[in-house]
Amino acid sequence: MADQKKNPQNKLNIELPEEVAEGIYSNLAIISHSNSEFILDFVRLVPNVPKAKVKSRVILTPQHAKRMLKALQENIQKYEAQFGAIDESGQPPFPPMSFNTPKAQA
């Protein structure tokens, strides 16, 4: 942060369009990879509906996927420090046995 204040050229202006700001709800993520990319498919499962659709797909380089993993771990630690441990008990294994997980392709 201090470097950004000293050198305004390092500042990044990020725009968030309204339709993207609304977000997409997902309760399942399917992750596949090749030697050059990670693919994250975000799915919404609805109870008693045997079919689910991918609502969003994000494609990352392996390096960015690793940085994202570290950032998510840090944020979960901060969340649990503030709100307590995230309870995972009683959660069914994902994906449910009736769903096929796609194989990674390049």
Side-chain angles (χ1 to χ4, degrees):
M1 285 290 274
D3 290 342
Q4 287 180 351
K5 290 179 184 176
K6 291 178 185 174
N7 188 354
Q9 292 176 342
N10 289 337
K11 196 171 186 179
L12 179 62
N13 184 10
I14 298 175
E15 293 184 19
L16 183 60
E18 187 175 331
E19 64 274 9
V20 175
E22 292 177 10
I24 299 292
Y25 178 76
S26 170
N27 52 9
L28 174 66
I30 299 171
I31 303 170
S32 44
H33 67 275
S34 70
N35 66 332
S36 61
E37 61 195 12
F38 278 75
I39 301 169
L40 286 68
D41 286 328
F42 294 94
V43 180
R44 183 180 314 146
L45 295 176
V46 179
N48 301 318
V49 177
K51 189 175 181 180
K53 289 185 179 181
V54 172
K55 295 295 183 178
S56 182
R57 172 175 275 190
V58 177
I59 302 171
L60 308 166
T61 64
Q63 295 80 7
H64 189 65
K66 193 165 190 176
R67 288 192 300 269
M68 184 178 208
L69 171 64
K70 289 178 183 178
L72 189 55
Q73 287 173 326
E74 289 174 11
N75 276 273
I76 288 173
Q77 289 172 350
K78 291 175 184 177
Y79 175 94
E80 289 184 329
Q82 185 175 357
F83 300 108
I86 298 170
D87 182 16
E88 295 182 88
S89 65
Q91 295 295 317
F94 278 98
M97 295 304 158
S98 61
F99 284 83
N100 293 324
T101 303
K103 299 205 182 299
Q105 297 179 13

